[in-house]
Amino acid sequence: MSVCPDLHQHYVQVCQNLGQPENPFIAHVLQEADKNDEIIWTKGFTLKIAGNSHLVPVQRVTDDSLQVLVSVLRTAAFVTGLDLRYNVLTDAGAKTMATFLQENSSLRYLNLMFNNIGKTGAELIAKALHGNETLLHMRMTGNKIGEEGGMFFASMLQINSTLEKLDLGDCDIGVQCLIATASALNLNKSVKAINLNRPLLFSQEEETTVHLALMLKNNSSLVELHLCKHEMKNFGVEQLCEALYENSTLRYLDLACNKITSDGVKFLGKLLKWNQTLQILDLNANRIEDDGAIYLSQALALYNRTLQVLSVVSNNISGKGLVALSDAMKTNTELSCIYIWGNKFDEATCRAFSELIQMGRLKLNCTDVEPYEVDGHIYLAELSHGLQKHYYWTPTYWVVTEKDANASLAIAAVSEYL
């Protein structure tokens, strides 16, 4: 590509043609994009028009301003990603985006996180993906599409054979959508990562977990599965573990913010003794306590040599369990990241993790604690590191590459955009 098109000039022209006022934030982003070197243009890049940017004044993208932007992007095949998170797009904007997805053959990443898209918009976008053969990563996070909107995406998964990652977290999906999604993933061979966090469930029978477990027995492509805030208890964990004995592809399992106790972790401990594919396990904000931590430490110390990241943040673990986990790290050299903040630190815990850090076994960018000493006593301070530090926001002034920003991206990424 010898000459890079002038996006900003094209944008100004389209605004004049359509009689629409210029959005100064969009204009600023396009001006910055025009400054990129030709190498970046030829490789493709992501336009970041996030409405929560704090670096420049932001006029959030509306349905009308999206229509102008899409008109500009129709001739910009080098734009392979579009980040429109935290704007004010509604179902009308979703209609514009759906039409664009049907026509576009270059976009591989689309982030519509936390806009105002409802079930009608979800239907339009999902149906547009029936025939789209280029989009790899779709984020609908935080749009209240509900049960009906989620069902359209479940139906899409039965037809689309290109999409690799779908995020429906915080979308108010329900039981029927989860079951339909699990059924679609039984046959879908392209999806490598799916986020189904925080559904609206009104049953304690865990039937959705049973269906997801059955899916894991049959699915041979899924690498990453997020089941945060599913009201999952020990029975659900047992179902998942039984399924994972027959699964050889899943590398990242997120069970954060559930109701898992030490009895449930027994099943995970037994699984880890046998499993040779799981690399990241997130048990953040459960209640595994000391017994659960000991079950995990025994499996990690003596058997498992594939798990690389473990998060047990806020699990009511005291010194006994935390020291057991630190001891496991001394014999298990594969476990490189461990997150423990929010538990009960005693002096033995502080000393144990201080030793791991001082001997170089545990790097500071791979944990969420840092030792310090006062009057001869060692304490642990919190570091702002974790598995999904940049899930809800991403810094605009540096590229997220380090494990301390998001270990899942650093260790178990499933494609260029994930």
Side-chain angles (χ1 to χ4, degrees), residues 83-335:
D83 184 350
L84 291 167
R85 71 179 80 186
Y86 295 104
N87 283 293
V88 289
L89 302 176
T90 67
D91 289 341
K95 183 178 181 179
T96 301
M97 185 55 66
T99 303
F100 180 62
L101 287 172
Q102 289 173 321
E103 301 169 349
N104 182 273
S105 59
S106 60
L107 201 67
R108 288 179 279 172
Y109 168 65
L110 177 59
N111 190 339
L112 297 175
M113 177 179 181
F114 285 102
N115 279 275
N116 298 322
I117 300 171
K119 65 178 182 180
T120 302
E123 177 182 6
L124 293 168
I125 291 173
K127 288 183 176 179
L129 291 177
H130 286 190
N132 184 287
E133 296 181 350
T134 55
L135 195 70
L136 299 177
H137 184 180
M138 176 79 201
R139 289 195 72 176
M140 288 293 292
T141 323
N143 289 285
K144 306 308 178 186
I145 64 177
E147 182 81 287
E148 292 182 55
M151 290 295 287
F152 291 116
F153 279 97
S155 299
M156 177 272 295
L157 291 176
Q158 297 178 333
I159 299 170
N160 183 288
S161 59
T162 310
L163 195 68
E164 293 187 2
K165 183 168 184 176
L166 176 63
D167 192 335
L168 296 177
D170 301 300
C171 284
D172 291 355
I173 60 176
V175 173
Q176 294 305 314
C177 175
L178 288 173
I179 293 174
T181 301
S183 298
L185 290 176
N186 277 316
L187 300 175
N188 185 292
K189 303 299 181 186
S190 63
V191 173
K192 296 180 180 179
I194 191 161
N195 188 315
L196 300 170
N197 287 350
R198 213 223 68 186
L200 298 183
L201 304 177
F202 301 98
S203 168
Q204 298 294 317
E205 296 180 3
E206 300 190 76
E207 63 265 41
T208 55
T209 308
V210 172
H211 282 273
L212 289 165
L214 290 172
M215 176 272 295
L216 286 173
K217 287 184 179 181
N218 300 318
N219 186 286
S220 59
S221 60
L222 201 64
V223 173
E224 182 176 333
L225 178 61
H226 296 268
L227 301 176
C228 179
K229 300 178 184 176
H230 271 239
E231 297 286 324
M232 191 183 304
K233 296 180 280 295
N234 298 331
F235 171 76
V237 177
E238 181 181 11
Q239 299 301 306
L240 289 177
C241 289
E242 287 180 3
L244 287 174
Y245 283 106
E246 301 179 35
N247 182 291
S248 59
T249 56
L250 194 72
R251 289 186 289 173
Y252 183 177
L253 180 60
D254 178 5
L255 300 178
C257 303
N258 281 293
K259 297 181 177 180
I260 302 168
T261 70
S262 58
D263 290 337
V265 178
K266 266 187 185 179
F267 302 113
L268 283 169
K270 291 177 181 177
L271 173 70
L272 288 175
K273 292 179 181 179
W274 178 89
N275 184 279
Q276 296 183 14
T277 55
L278 204 61
Q279 295 179 5
I280 302 176
L281 179 60
D282 190 349
L283 294 172
N284 172 30
N286 282 282
R287 199 174 180 85
I288 72 171
E289 302 182 314
D290 285 341
D291 288 343
I294 290 171
Y295 292 141
L296 291 174
S297 65
Q298 290 172 345
L300 293 171
L302 302 174
Y303 302 95
N304 187 282
R305 290 298 180 269
T306 54
L307 195 74
Q308 298 179 36
V309 183
L310 174 65
S311 177
V312 290
V313 172
S314 299
N315 264 278
N316 200 40
I317 306 172
S318 65
K320 181 180 178 183
L322 292 169
V323 169
L325 288 171
S326 71
D327 289 340
M329 290 198 72
K330 294 176 182 177
T331 56
N332 184 329
T333 57
E334 294 300 318
L335 185 64

Side-chain angles (χ1 to χ4, degrees), residues 4-43:
C4 300
D6 190 329
L7 288 176
H8 179 251
Q9 185 178 347
H10 190 188
Y11 174 70
V12 172
Q13 185 64 48
V14 173
C15 285
Q16 292 174 352
N17 293 343
L18 296 178
Q20 292 285 347
E22 290 183 37
N23 181 314
F25 182 46
I26 294 178
H28 170 77
V29 171
L30 295 181
Q31 283 177 322
E32 292 299 311
D34 286 333
K35 297 176 183 177
N36 280 287
D37 293 333
E38 188 174 335
I39 295 176
I40 297 178
W41 292 96
T42 55
K43 286 184 176 180

